[in-house]
Amino acid sequence: VYIEQTPFTGTLGQNGVTPTFTIGENAASTYANLAWNSDGQGWSIYVTPAGNPGLIYLNGFNTGNFGGAGSPDADAPAREAGSSPLSILCVAHLYPRKDVATLLEALARMPPRAALRVAGTGPERENLDDRARALGLSGRVEFLGHVSFARLAAEYRRADIFCLPSRQEGFGIVFLEAMAAGLPIVAARATAVPELVADGVCGDLVAPGDPDALAAALGRLVSDEVRRRALGEAGRRRVAAYDAPVVAGR
């Protein structure tokens, strides 16, 4: 794919930043999608060429930012092995399509061996707070709101499982972040998610909007440390293909 750095017309700024790019004539692209990385470090550009629905270009994702020795200093501690309850992490802008409500419903169906931490804010925050209380989950769910990049990296490090059951994702960079942190993933089999999260390899995918299936998938991982580790290690291997220097060399 041929990408030229030229002025981009339009308002797509994040914190006053406007990306500059254009698709070169050799790309024969049908669309380009821009997303601001949740690590706050830059824009990611996803380009799909004509006749090929697969993702072929990603710019600006640094796998070293999440988990491991290369991650930034954090203001939340890494989780201690064997501590209880297990920690399920969800990172999302809280819009209805992210379907965090189904995740709350799933958690309510599970034994209290796992707790949920939700990083992010959005228009659904108040509704989700109310739903968590109605489900009796007040002691098992913590809404963290907007967090710093260092805190976000720390949340990935302290978690045991990552779950985001979105009904719609154009790409889902948080799944790359979770894989870079070595976390097994549970997500919905919807839109672009299966292209990124290989079902049964680095995560488990379920039907969207199905709290029973989501609870069952999460429950299996909660009770199986060996499989959690295997999926997490597979995710780390898979995400290496999306590291910025690797992509830049293609």
Side-chain angles (χ1 to χ4, degrees):
V1 177
Y2 179 60
I3 304 291
E4 295 179 7
Q5 295 295 320
T6 58
F8 178 84
T9 57
T11 304
L12 288 171
Q14 172 79 14
N15 299 327
V17 177
T18 300
T20 59
F21 83 102
T22 188
I23 307 304
E25 60 182 0
N26 296 331
S29 64
T30 54
Y31 69 86
N33 181 43
L34 284 164
W36 181 256
N37 293 353
S38 66
D39 64 11
Q41 303 301 297
W43 288 91
S44 292
I45 306 171
Y46 316 112
V47 181
T48 298
N52 182 353
L55 172 75
I56 60 171
Y57 186 85
L58 165 65
N59 178 48
F61 181 77
N62 185 348
T63 60
N65 283 338
F66 300 92
S71 60
D73 290 339
D75 51 8
R79 185 180 182 279
E80 294 182 6
S83 61
S84 184
L86 271 68
S87 178
I88 300 170
L89 177 65
C90 178
V91 179
H93 296 294
L94 301 181
Y95 293 103
R97 66 184 175 86
K98 299 296 184 178
D99 208 13
V100 178
T102 292
L103 177 52
L104 295 178
E105 297 280 350
L107 189 67
R109 288 161 165 77
M110 297 170 60
R113 289 190 56 200
L116 173 65
R117 297 171 67 82
V118 181
T121 188
E124 281 290 285
R125 170 64 187 273
E126 186 175 347
N127 291 337
L128 293 170
D129 273 330
D130 292 343
R131 189 61 186 147
R133 283 192 295 270
L135 290 168
L137 294 174
S138 297
R140 296 176 61 194
V141 177
E142 184 173 358
F143 291 96
L144 305 175
H146 175 75
V147 298
S148 68
F149 172 48
R151 175 66 183 275
L152 179 65
E155 291 297 334
Y156 278 109
R157 285 177 31 242
R158 71 180 291 172
D160 297 286
I161 299 167
F162 182 84
C163 182
L164 177 61
S166 291
R167 298 191 302 270
Q168 179 186 349
E169 285 290 343
F171 181 71
I173 199 165
V174 293
F175 296 120
L176 290 185
E177 294 170 354
M179 284 188 270
L183 294 181
I185 295 169
V186 178
R189 190 180 294 105
T191 57
V193 176
E195 297 178 20
L196 190 60
V197 181
D199 191 13
V201 177
C202 55
D204 290 329
L205 303 182
V206 302
D210 187 339
D212 290 322
L214 192 63
L218 287 168
R220 286 191 294 270
L221 285 182
V222 166
S223 62
D224 192 341
E225 181 180 358
V226 172
R227 190 159 188 270
R228 290 199 307 269
R229 188 180 302 114
L231 294 179
E233 290 172 354
R236 275 206 174 104
R237 292 192 296 271
R238 184 174 178 83
V239 78
Y242 294 90
D243 201 13
V246 175
V247 174
R250 291 178 184 171

